[in-house]
mmCIF file of all heavy atoms in Angstrom:
data_model
loop_
_atom_site.group_PDB
_atom_site.id
_atom_site.type_symbol
_atom_site.label_atom_id
_atom_site.label_comp_id
_atom_site.label_asym_id
_atom_site.label_seq_id
_atom_site.Cartn_x
_atom_site.Cartn_y
_atom_site.Cartn_z
ATOM 1 N N LEU Y 1 -7.191 25.388 -7.407
ATOM 2 C CA LEU Y 1 -7.617 24.182 -8.211
ATOM 3 C C LEU Y 1 -8.831 24.392 -8.898
ATOM 4 O O LEU Y 1 -9.769 25.088 -8.482
ATOM 5 C CB LEU Y 1 -7.820 23.154 -7.162
ATOM 6 C CG LEU Y 1 -6.571 22.528 -6.433
ATOM 7 C CD1 LEU Y 1 -6.945 21.580 -5.290
ATOM 8 C CD2 LEU Y 1 -5.624 21.962 -7.432
ATOM 9 N N ARG Y 2 -8.994 23.808 -10.074
ATOM 10 C CA ARG Y 2 -10.169 23.879 -10.793
ATOM 11 C C ARG Y 2 -11.207 23.078 -10.253
ATOM 12 O O ARG Y 2 -10.951 22.135 -9.403
ATOM 13 C CB ARG Y 2 -9.969 23.375 -12.257
ATOM 14 C CG ARG Y 2 -8.857 24.264 -13.067
ATOM 15 C CD ARG Y 2 -8.677 23.738 -14.473
ATOM 16 N NE ARG Y 2 -7.690 24.511 -15.134
ATOM 17 C CZ ARG Y 2 -7.361 24.331 -16.408
ATOM 18 N NH1 ARG Y 2 -7.888 23.306 -17.171
ATOM 19 N NH2 ARG Y 2 -6.522 25.169 -17.061
ATOM 20 N N ARG Y 3 -12.417 23.253 -10.455
ATOM 21 C CA ARG Y 3 -13.493 22.614 -9.875
ATOM 22 C C ARG Y 3 -13.485 21.104 -10.230
ATOM 23 O O ARG Y 3 -13.749 20.269 -9.228
ATOM 24 C CB ARG Y 3 -14.770 23.195 -10.440
ATOM 25 C CG ARG Y 3 -16.138 22.598 -9.652
ATOM 26 C CD ARG Y 3 -17.372 23.510 -10.108
ATOM 27 N NE ARG Y 3 -18.464 22.895 -9.410
ATOM 28 C CZ ARG Y 3 -19.737 23.448 -9.611
ATOM 29 N NH1 ARG Y 3 -19.877 24.424 -10.421
ATOM 30 N NH2 ARG Y 3 -20.726 22.963 -8.959
ATOM 31 N N PRO Y 4 -13.221 20.623 -11.409
ATOM 32 C CA PRO Y 4 -13.126 19.097 -11.578
ATOM 33 C C PRO Y 4 -12.127 18.524 -10.823
ATOM 34 O O PRO Y 4 -12.345 17.444 -10.233
ATOM 35 C CB PRO Y 4 -12.961 18.914 -13.061
ATOM 36 C CG PRO Y 4 -13.404 20.303 -13.712
ATOM 37 C CD PRO Y 4 -13.147 21.321 -12.722
ATOM 38 N N GLU Y 5 -10.889 19.199 -10.619
ATOM 39 C CA GLU Y 5 -9.788 18.537 -9.843
ATOM 40 C C GLU Y 5 -10.196 18.475 -8.360
ATOM 41 O O GLU Y 5 -9.812 17.544 -7.607
ATOM 42 C CB GLU Y 5 -8.463 19.314 -10.131
ATOM 43 C CG GLU Y 5 -7.940 19.213 -11.511
ATOM 44 C CD GLU Y 5 -6.834 20.139 -11.713
ATOM 45 O OE1 GLU Y 5 -6.574 20.983 -10.862
ATOM 46 O OE2 GLU Y 5 -6.134 19.971 -12.742
ATOM 47 N N LEU Y 6 -10.887 19.623 -7.820
ATOM 48 C CA LEU Y 6 -11.326 19.651 -6.529
ATOM 49 C C LEU Y 6 -12.312 18.436 -6.149
ATOM 50 O O LEU Y 6 -12.186 17.824 -5.016
ATOM 51 C CB LEU Y 6 -11.848 21.012 -6.137
ATOM 52 C CG LEU Y 6 -12.300 21.151 -4.695
ATOM 53 C CD1 LEU Y 6 -11.080 21.129 -3.778
ATOM 54 C CD2 LEU Y 6 -12.929 22.575 -4.527
ATOM 55 N N LEU Y 7 -13.210 18.188 -7.091
ATOM 56 C CA LEU Y 7 -14.147 17.217 -6.908
ATOM 57 C C LEU Y 7 -13.347 15.833 -6.801
ATOM 58 O O LEU Y 7 -13.898 14.965 -6.067
ATOM 59 C CB LEU Y 7 -15.156 17.234 -7.937
ATOM 60 C CG LEU Y 7 -16.200 18.499 -7.933
ATOM 61 C CD1 LEU Y 7 -17.086 18.414 -9.132
ATOM 62 C CD2 LEU Y 7 -16.999 18.498 -6.766
ATOM 63 N N ARG Y 8 -12.397 15.625 -7.793
ATOM 64 C CA ARG Y 8 -11.774 14.387 -7.757
ATOM 65 C C ARG Y 8 -10.951 14.147 -6.442
ATOM 66 O O ARG Y 8 -10.985 12.971 -5.962
ATOM 67 C CB ARG Y 8 -10.744 14.353 -8.959
ATOM 68 C CG ARG Y 8 -10.071 12.948 -9.290
ATOM 69 C CD ARG Y 8 -9.092 13.038 -10.394
ATOM 70 N NE ARG Y 8 -9.925 13.364 -11.630
ATOM 71 C CZ ARG Y 8 -9.646 14.478 -12.349
ATOM 72 N NH1 ARG Y 8 -8.820 15.367 -11.794
ATOM 73 N NH2 ARG Y 8 -10.245 14.754 -13.355
ATOM 74 N N LEU Y 9 -10.450 15.247 -5.999
ATOM 75 C CA LEU Y 9 -9.639 15.056 -4.720
ATOM 76 C C LEU Y 9 -10.600 14.712 -3.571
ATOM 77 O O LEU Y 9 -10.284 13.934 -2.676
ATOM 78 C CB LEU Y 9 -8.923 16.370 -4.414
ATOM 79 C CG LEU Y 9 -8.058 16.443 -3.137
ATOM 80 C CD1 LEU Y 9 -6.992 15.307 -3.173
ATOM 81 C CD2 LEU Y 9 -7.405 17.779 -3.010
ATOM 82 N N LEU Y 10 -11.683 15.286 -3.452
ATOM 83 C CA LEU Y 10 -12.762 15.059 -2.377
ATOM 84 C C LEU Y 10 -13.221 13.631 -2.424
ATOM 85 O O LEU Y 10 -13.503 13.022 -1.540
ATOM 86 C CB LEU Y 10 -13.919 16.065 -2.595
ATOM 87 C CG LEU Y 10 -13.681 17.497 -2.224
ATOM 88 C CD1 LEU Y 10 -14.786 18.380 -2.636
ATOM 89 C CD2 LEU Y 10 -13.115 17.715 -0.930
ATOM 90 N N LEU Y 11 -13.372 13.039 -3.733
ATOM 91 C CA LEU Y 11 -13.731 11.712 -3.976
ATOM 92 C C LEU Y 11 -12.621 10.819 -3.485
ATOM 93 O O LEU Y 11 -12.868 9.630 -2.863
ATOM 94 C CB LEU Y 11 -14.124 11.451 -5.155
ATOM 95 C CG LEU Y 11 -15.415 12.035 -5.840
ATOM 96 C CD1 LEU Y 11 -15.615 11.944 -7.308
ATOM 97 C CD2 LEU Y 11 -16.546 11.608 -5.054
ATOM 98 N N LEU Y 12 -11.381 11.124 -3.541
ATOM 99 C CA LEU Y 12 -10.228 10.293 -3.232
ATOM 100 C C LEU Y 12 -9.968 10.321 -1.739
ATOM 101 O O LEU Y 12 -9.399 9.345 -1.152
ATOM 102 C CB LEU Y 12 -9.017 10.639 -3.926
ATOM 103 C CG LEU Y 12 -9.023 10.340 -5.449
ATOM 104 C CD1 LEU Y 12 -7.711 10.810 -6.104
ATOM 105 C CD2 LEU Y 12 -9.144 8.807 -5.647
ATOM 106 N N LEU Y 13 -10.284 11.272 -1.005
ATOM 107 C CA LEU Y 13 -10.003 11.449 0.450
ATOM 108 C C LEU Y 13 -10.495 10.259 1.187
ATOM 109 O O LEU Y 13 -9.890 9.695 2.084
ATOM 110 C CB LEU Y 13 -10.446 12.779 1.016
ATOM 111 C CG LEU Y 13 -9.577 13.972 0.613
ATOM 112 C CD1 LEU Y 13 -10.282 15.285 1.107
ATOM 113 C CD2 LEU Y 13 -8.216 13.816 1.117
ATOM 114 N N PRO Y 14 -11.816 9.865 1.040
ATOM 115 C CA PRO Y 14 -12.289 8.725 1.836
ATOM 116 C C PRO Y 14 -11.434 7.428 1.615
ATOM 117 O O PRO Y 14 -11.289 6.584 2.438
ATOM 118 C CB PRO Y 14 -13.778 8.477 1.295
ATOM 119 C CG PRO Y 14 -14.056 9.907 0.944
ATOM 120 C CD PRO Y 14 -12.904 10.477 0.268
ATOM 121 N N LEU Y 15 -11.185 7.229 0.253
ATOM 122 C CA LEU Y 15 -10.374 6.013 0.012
ATOM 123 C C LEU Y 15 -9.107 5.974 0.484
ATOM 124 O O LEU Y 15 -8.605 5.053 1.020
ATOM 125 C CB LEU Y 15 -10.338 5.897 -1.619
ATOM 126 C CG LEU Y 15 -11.574 5.776 -2.387
ATOM 127 C CD1 LEU Y 15 -11.341 5.641 -3.901
ATOM 128 C CD2 LEU Y 15 -12.312 4.442 -1.893
ATOM 129 N N LEU Y 16 -8.411 7.222 0.591
ATOM 130 C CA LEU Y 16 -7.098 7.323 1.248
ATOM 131 C C LEU Y 16 -7.218 7.085 2.769
ATOM 132 O O LEU Y 16 -6.337 6.452 3.242
ATOM 133 C CB LEU Y 16 -6.495 8.723 0.897
ATOM 134 C CG LEU Y 16 -6.057 9.010 -0.575
ATOM 135 C CD1 LEU Y 16 -5.553 10.368 -0.796
ATOM 136 C CD2 LEU Y 16 -4.908 8.040 -1.032
ATOM 137 N N GLY Y 17 -8.301 7.628 3.282
ATOM 138 C CA GLY Y 17 -8.468 7.420 4.714
ATOM 139 C C GLY Y 17 -8.682 5.922 4.998
ATOM 140 O O GLY Y 17 -8.113 5.429 6.003
ATOM 141 N N CYS Y 18 -9.436 5.193 4.212
ATOM 142 C CA CYS Y 18 -9.626 3.778 4.356
ATOM 143 C C CYS Y 18 -8.198 3.025 4.272
ATOM 144 O O CYS Y 18 -8.088 1.994 5.056
ATOM 145 C CB CYS Y 18 -10.682 3.130 3.392
ATOM 146 S SG CYS Y 18 -12.351 3.757 3.691
ATOM 147 N N ARG Y 19 -7.412 3.491 3.218
ATOM 148 C CA ARG Y 19 -6.222 2.720 3.125
ATOM 149 C C ARG Y 19 -5.364 2.899 4.321
ATOM 150 O O ARG Y 19 -4.661 2.017 4.822
ATOM 151 C CB ARG Y 19 -5.424 3.360 1.855
ATOM 152 C CG ARG Y 19 -4.190 2.573 1.421
ATOM 153 C CD ARG Y 19 -3.632 3.174 0.258
ATOM 154 N NE ARG Y 19 -2.348 2.407 -0.108
ATOM 155 C CZ ARG Y 19 -2.240 1.302 -0.711
ATOM 156 N NH1 ARG Y 19 -3.265 0.678 -0.998
ATOM 157 N NH2 ARG Y 19 -1.095 0.732 -0.951
ATOM 158 N N LEU Y 20 -5.334 4.176 4.834
ATOM 159 C CA LEU Y 20 -4.435 4.452 6.051
ATOM 160 C C LEU Y 20 -4.943 3.710 7.169
ATOM 161 O O LEU Y 20 -4.187 3.353 8.218
ATOM 162 C CB LEU Y 20 -4.424 5.999 6.308
ATOM 163 C CG LEU Y 20 -3.844 6.901 5.234
ATOM 164 C CD1 LEU Y 20 -3.952 8.327 5.647
ATOM 165 C CD2 LEU Y 20 -2.255 6.551 5.149
ATOM 166 N N LEU Y 21 -6.245 3.353 7.296
ATOM 167 C CA LEU Y 21 -6.785 2.627 8.383
ATOM 168 C C LEU Y 21 -6.754 1.100 8.195
ATOM 169 O O LEU Y 21 -7.248 0.439 9.140
ATOM 170 C CB LEU Y 21 -8.211 3.175 8.660
ATOM 171 C CG LEU Y 21 -8.401 4.539 9.075
ATOM 172 C CD1 LEU Y 21 -9.817 4.951 9.300
ATOM 173 C CD2 LEU Y 21 -7.543 4.940 10.446
ATOM 174 N N ALA Y 22 -6.223 0.625 7.069
ATOM 175 C CA ALA Y 22 -6.287 -0.804 6.823
ATOM 176 C C ALA Y 22 -4.911 -1.398 7.219
ATOM 177 O O ALA Y 22 -3.864 -0.811 6.883
ATOM 178 C CB ALA Y 22 -6.541 -1.064 5.318
ATOM 179 N N VAL Y 23 -4.939 -2.562 7.952
ATOM 180 C CA VAL Y 23 -3.686 -3.326 8.018
ATOM 181 C C VAL Y 23 -3.077 -3.861 6.773
ATOM 182 O O VAL Y 23 -3.894 -4.474 6.001
ATOM 183 C CB VAL Y 23 -3.850 -4.395 9.247
ATOM 184 C CG1 VAL Y 23 -4.867 -5.408 8.640
ATOM 185 C CG2 VAL Y 23 -2.556 -5.118 9.437
ATOM 186 N N GLU Y 24 -1.803 -3.697 6.624
ATOM 187 C CA GLU Y 24 -1.164 -4.121 5.370
ATOM 188 C C GLU Y 24 0.204 -4.642 5.685
ATOM 189 O O GLU Y 24 0.967 -4.171 6.468
ATOM 190 C CB GLU Y 24 -0.908 -2.990 4.470
ATOM 191 C CG GLU Y 24 -0.399 -3.327 3.069
ATOM 192 C CD GLU Y 24 -0.357 -2.152 2.092
ATOM 193 O OE1 GLU Y 24 -0.740 -1.034 2.521
ATOM 194 O OE2 GLU Y 24 0.098 -2.299 0.912
ATOM 195 N N LEU Y 25 0.445 -5.861 5.122
ATOM 196 C CA LEU Y 25 1.796 -6.599 5.330
ATOM 197 C C LEU Y 25 2.627 -6.519 4.081
ATOM 198 O O LEU Y 25 2.173 -6.427 3.013
ATOM 199 C CB LEU Y 25 1.409 -8.092 5.707
ATOM 200 C CG LEU Y 25 0.647 -8.241 6.925
ATOM 201 C CD1 LEU Y 25 0.382 -9.769 7.126
ATOM 202 C CD2 LEU Y 25 1.139 -7.616 8.085
ATOM 203 N N THR Y 26 3.933 -6.749 4.306
ATOM 204 C CA THR Y 26 4.869 -6.766 3.260
ATOM 205 C C THR Y 26 6.009 -7.758 3.830
ATOM 206 O O THR Y 26 6.133 -8.096 4.876
ATOM 207 C CB THR Y 26 5.564 -5.465 2.834
ATOM 208 O OG1 THR Y 26 6.282 -5.603 1.660
ATOM 209 C CG2 THR Y 26 6.256 -4.765 3.895
ATOM 210 N N SER Y 27 6.880 -8.060 2.905
ATOM 211 C CA SER Y 27 8.015 -8.920 3.288
ATOM 212 C C SER Y 27 9.197 -8.515 2.433
ATOM 213 O O SER Y 27 9.204 -8.143 1.190
ATOM 214 C CB SER Y 27 7.781 -10.397 2.970
ATOM 215 O OG SER Y 27 8.890 -11.180 3.157
ATOM 216 N N SER Y 28 10.463 -8.600 3.018
ATOM 217 C CA SER Y 28 11.705 -8.425 2.274
ATOM 218 C C SER Y 28 12.121 -9.438 1.439
ATOM 219 O O SER Y 28 12.942 -9.367 0.532
ATOM 220 C CB SER Y 28 12.793 -8.077 3.397
ATOM 221 O OG SER Y 28 13.030 -9.157 4.138
ATOM 222 N N ASN Y 29 11.614 -10.676 1.614
ATOM 223 C CA ASN Y 29 11.825 -11.835 0.882
ATOM 224 C C ASN Y 29 10.809 -12.935 1.026
ATOM 225 O O ASN Y 29 10.722 -13.424 2.013
ATOM 226 C CB ASN Y 29 13.313 -12.431 1.337
ATOM 227 C CG ASN Y 29 13.848 -13.589 0.403
ATOM 228 O OD1 ASN Y 29 13.161 -13.893 -0.635
ATOM 229 N ND2 ASN Y 29 14.913 -14.092 0.825
ATOM 230 N N THR Y 30 10.119 -13.173 -0.078
ATOM 231 C CA THR Y 30 8.963 -14.158 -0.045
ATOM 232 C C THR Y 30 9.417 -15.459 -0.473
ATOM 233 O O THR Y 30 8.611 -16.403 -0.376
ATOM 234 C CB THR Y 30 7.826 -13.601 -0.973
ATOM 235 O OG1 THR Y 30 8.325 -13.485 -2.350
ATOM 236 C CG2 THR Y 30 7.185 -12.294 -0.371
ATOM 237 N N ASN Y 31 10.683 -15.633 -0.954
ATOM 238 C CA ASN Y 31 11.197 -17.006 -1.407
ATOM 239 C C ASN Y 31 12.586 -17.214 -0.771
ATOM 240 O O ASN Y 31 13.552 -17.241 -1.461
ATOM 241 C CB ASN Y 31 11.243 -17.020 -2.966
ATOM 242 C CG ASN Y 31 9.813 -17.084 -3.574
ATOM 243 O OD1 ASN Y 31 9.072 -18.156 -3.508
ATOM 244 N ND2 ASN Y 31 9.363 -15.938 -4.103
ATOM 245 N N PRO Y 32 12.694 -17.347 0.455
ATOM 246 C CA PRO Y 32 14.123 -17.537 1.020
ATOM 247 C C PRO Y 32 14.487 -18.996 0.730
ATOM 248 O O PRO Y 32 13.743 -19.853 0.701
ATOM 249 C CB PRO Y 32 13.804 -17.195 2.578
ATOM 250 C CG PRO Y 32 12.388 -17.687 2.742
ATOM 251 C CD PRO Y 32 11.547 -17.185 1.531
ATOM 252 N N VAL Y 33 15.787 -19.081 0.645
ATOM 253 C CA VAL Y 33 16.474 -20.336 0.435
ATOM 254 C C VAL Y 33 17.605 -20.543 1.367
ATOM 255 O O VAL Y 33 18.388 -19.626 1.597
ATOM 256 C CB VAL Y 33 17.099 -20.495 -1.055
ATOM 257 C CG1 VAL Y 33 17.803 -21.802 -1.306
ATOM 258 C CG2 VAL Y 33 15.926 -20.331 -2.087
ATOM 259 N N VAL Y 34 17.735 -21.743 2.002
ATOM 260 C CA VAL Y 34 18.678 -22.000 3.007
ATOM 261 C C VAL Y 34 19.127 -23.378 2.996
ATOM 262 O O VAL Y 34 18.344 -24.232 2.536
ATOM 263 C CB VAL Y 34 18.005 -21.714 4.474
ATOM 264 C CG1 VAL Y 34 16.989 -22.580 4.847
ATOM 265 C CG2 VAL Y 34 19.109 -21.663 5.608
ATOM 266 N N GLN Y 35 20.359 -23.593 3.429
ATOM 267 C CA GLN Y 35 20.869 -24.990 3.469
ATOM 268 C C GLN Y 35 20.467 -25.619 4.717
ATOM 269 O O GLN Y 35 20.387 -24.898 5.780
ATOM 270 C CB GLN Y 35 22.427 -24.933 3.356
ATOM 271 C CG GLN Y 35 22.880 -24.442 1.921
ATOM 272 C CD GLN Y 35 24.368 -24.815 1.731
ATOM 273 O OE1 GLN Y 35 24.975 -25.433 2.490
ATOM 274 N NE2 GLN Y 35 25.008 -24.163 0.607
ATOM 275 N N GLU Y 36 20.344 -26.949 4.701
ATOM 276 C CA GLU Y 36 20.000 -27.687 5.893
ATOM 277 C C GLU Y 36 20.843 -27.394 7.034
ATOM 278 O O GLU Y 36 22.097 -27.311 6.975
ATOM 279 C CB GLU Y 36 19.922 -29.187 5.488
ATOM 280 C CG GLU Y 36 19.198 -30.041 6.581
ATOM 281 C CD GLU Y 36 19.033 -31.531 6.137
ATOM 282 O OE1 GLU Y 36 19.886 -32.002 5.442
ATOM 283 O OE2 GLU Y 36 18.094 -32.146 6.559
ATOM 284 N N PHE Y 37 20.243 -27.419 8.314
ATOM 285 C CA PHE Y 37 20.890 -27.153 9.625
ATOM 286 C C PHE Y 37 21.361 -25.729 9.749
ATOM 287 O O PHE Y 37 21.876 -25.424 10.916
ATOM 288 C CB PHE Y 37 22.089 -28.098 9.778
ATOM 289 C CG PHE Y 37 21.917 -29.538 9.511
ATOM 290 C CD1 PHE Y 37 22.473 -30.255 8.500
ATOM 291 C CD2 PHE Y 37 20.771 -30.126 10.174
ATOM 292 C CE1 PHE Y 37 22.254 -31.548 8.291
ATOM 293 C CE2 PHE Y 37 20.421 -31.423 9.835
ATOM 294 C CZ PHE Y 37 21.283 -32.142 9.015
ATOM 295 N N GLN Y 38 20.955 -24.806 8.858
ATOM 296 C CA GLN Y 38 21.180 -23.388 9.001
ATOM 297 C C GLN Y 38 19.931 -22.739 9.599
ATOM 298 O O GLN Y 38 18.822 -23.248 9.528
ATOM 299 C CB GLN Y 38 21.861 -22.650 7.864
ATOM 300 C CG GLN Y 38 23.152 -23.216 7.397
ATOM 301 C CD GLN Y 38 23.704 -22.463 6.168
ATOM 302 O OE1 GLN Y 38 22.984 -21.812 5.614
ATOM 303 N NE2 GLN Y 38 24.884 -22.789 5.846
ATOM 304 N N SER Y 39 20.063 -21.429 10.004
ATOM 305 C CA SER Y 39 19.017 -20.584 10.442
ATOM 306 C C SER Y 39 18.473 -19.729 9.348
ATOM 307 O O SER Y 39 19.187 -19.461 8.344
ATOM 308 C CB SER Y 39 19.343 -19.765 11.588
ATOM 309 O OG SER Y 39 19.701 -20.521 12.756
ATOM 310 N N VAL Y 40 17.116 -19.393 9.396
ATOM 311 C CA VAL Y 40 16.601 -18.617 8.358
ATOM 312 C C VAL Y 40 15.564 -17.660 8.942
ATOM 313 O O VAL Y 40 14.748 -18.062 9.893
ATOM 314 C CB VAL Y 40 15.980 -19.443 7.128
ATOM 315 C CG1 VAL Y 40 14.824 -20.347 7.814
ATOM 316 C CG2 VAL Y 40 15.505 -18.707 6.124
#
């Protein structure tokens, strides 16, 4: 690796570590639609 690329990677490592240590949520469907009296 060239020196500029190595420095960039070293700067990103702390950020990647913080991301891995952060709780993160997602959903398979954020706008569900259901008919009355059914389960969802």
